[in-house]
Amino acid sequence: MNKLKAIFLPFISGILLLGIWYSVAFVYAKNEGYEVQRIVIPFPHQIVEALWDERAILWIATRQTAFAALVGFIAAVTFGYVLSMLLASAVWVKRSLYPWILVLQMTPVVVLAPIFVLWIGQGLPSITAITFMIGFFPVVANTTMGLISTDRNLIELFEMSNASKTQEIAYLRVPYAMPYFLTGMKIAGTLAPIGAIAGDLFAGSSQGGVGGIGFMVILYNSQVKVPELFATAFVACFLGFIFVGCVNWLHWMLLKNWHESVRATDIE
């Protein structure tokens, strides 16, 4: 019954929102004319038509953005995990490096984007670098927290068993920190498509004929193609759902057999 409500209620609210959208667009068209209405608030079916007409271009743009998001995400997760292991290895390492990581994270992307373009060029390299910058901090922060907050009783048990430092890290701290790491990875996965689109806005190019989603947003906006602009927003939203869904599935697969948080969710 709960699952039925979870499907039925969003469907009903979606129908209501669609009806409101059509009503507002129709009233606006009656007052200002259909040409002005198409520019300001297009009908939903006009957006669908634009999505179909621009499907080839948007498909290429989506592939480019998805590739940049994936590369940036993998780099953020890999580098973030390695850096977390380094930060958790000793207190003095964390105290020495963590403040500078915070400084880097607090620096706005709009400031870093021109620097990346200057250093590594416009297009995919800069877009990937921007995606990486947006996504790596959640991985570092969450994984480091998990590694340093391991249950003290378990650590003492390992010490009583004469376990080496390597064994303590491999068999205790890393498994204990896994839920923290995966939570950071989920956040990074949510931010990756956003970072790739933002990177495309700041550093995108149309090499190869078509740019990414962010570049198409700039192009359609300059040409006052509002239905196409809404269609691009829909594609970006859909890409985000796919990306986050894949990361959530990986999170569930890695924790489902042993971690109580995932098992509790399954029971509910």
Side-chain angles (χ1 to χ4, degrees):
M1 188 65 181
N2 289 332
K3 289 184 178 180
L4 186 62
K5 286 183 179 179
I7 297 173
F8 183 71
L9 291 177
F11 177 77
I12 294 299
S13 61
I15 295 295
L16 290 173
L17 288 173
L18 198 63
I20 293 171
W21 189 332
Y22 264 108
S23 300
V24 172
F26 182 76
V27 171
Y28 197 92
K30 283 295 184 180
N31 292 332
E32 303 293 337
Y34 282 94
E35 290 300 320
V36 178
Q37 166 267 321
R38 181 181 176 85
I39 295 175
V40 177
I41 178 169
F43 289 115
H45 70 267
Q46 292 175 327
I47 297 171
V48 174
E49 290 172 358
L51 182 63
W52 177 255
D53 293 339
E54 300 290 318
R55 63 188 182 281
I57 294 175
L58 289 176
W59 169 243
I60 298 172
T62 302
R63 284 190 311 180
Q64 292 191 18
T65 300
F67 181 74
L70 183 61
V71 173
F73 170 74
I74 292 173
V77 170
T78 304
F79 180 77
Y81 189 81
V82 173
L83 184 58
S84 299
M85 296 290 289
L86 179 63
L87 293 173
S89 63
V91 175
W92 69 268
V93 176
K94 184 174 183 291
R95 289 177 178 174
S96 299
L97 297 180
Y98 202 75
W100 298 111
I101 297 172
L102 285 174
V103 168
L104 192 61
Q105 178 64 23
M106 292 300 120
T107 306
V109 174
V110 291
V111 176
L112 294 174
I115 298 174
F116 286 140
V117 172
L118 208 61
W119 285 353
I120 56 180
Q122 198 166 12
L124 182 62
S126 291
I127 297 170
T128 303
I130 292 170
T131 306
F132 166 81
M133 287 301 302
I134 291 176
F136 96 101
F137 183 75
V139 178
V140 173
N142 282 275
T143 308
T144 303
M145 178 61 69
L147 290 169
I148 66 177
S149 62
T150 305
D151 192 331
R152 187 65 198 170
N153 293 324
L154 295 175
I155 294 175
E156 291 176 354
L157 177 62
F158 267 63
E159 291 174 351
M160 290 171 59
S161 303
N162 295 320
S164 65
K165 190 67 176 178
T166 303
Q167 289 175 322
E168 180 187 314
I169 292 173
Y171 298 122
L172 177 59
R173 291 188 181 271
V174 169
Y176 192 90
M178 182 62 70
Y180 293 84
F181 165 66
L182 291 173
T183 299
M185 192 175 73
K186 285 175 69 175
I187 299 171
T190 304
L191 295 173
I194 300 172
I197 294 170
D200 216 9
L201 288 169
F202 294 120
S205 69
S206 58
Q207 286 182 331
V210 180
I213 292 176
F215 187 85
M216 298 310 299
V217 167
I218 297 173
L219 182 64
Y220 289 141
N221 185 56
S222 65
Q223 296 175 348
V224 200
K225 292 184 175 181
V226 179
E228 287 79 1
L229 200 58
F230 274 93
T232 307
F234 173 79
V235 170
C237 180
F238 186 69
L239 174 63
F241 270 113
I242 292 176
F243 212 92
V244 172
C246 291
V247 175
N248 285 342
W249 175 82
L250 180 62
H251 177 274
W252 178 77
M253 285 295 294
L254 292 174
L255 295 183
K256 67 174 182 175
N257 292 325
W258 65 277
H259 199 263
E260 58 186 19
S261 63
V262 176
R263 293 170 67 184
T265 303
D266 289 343
I267 292 172
E268 291 175 2

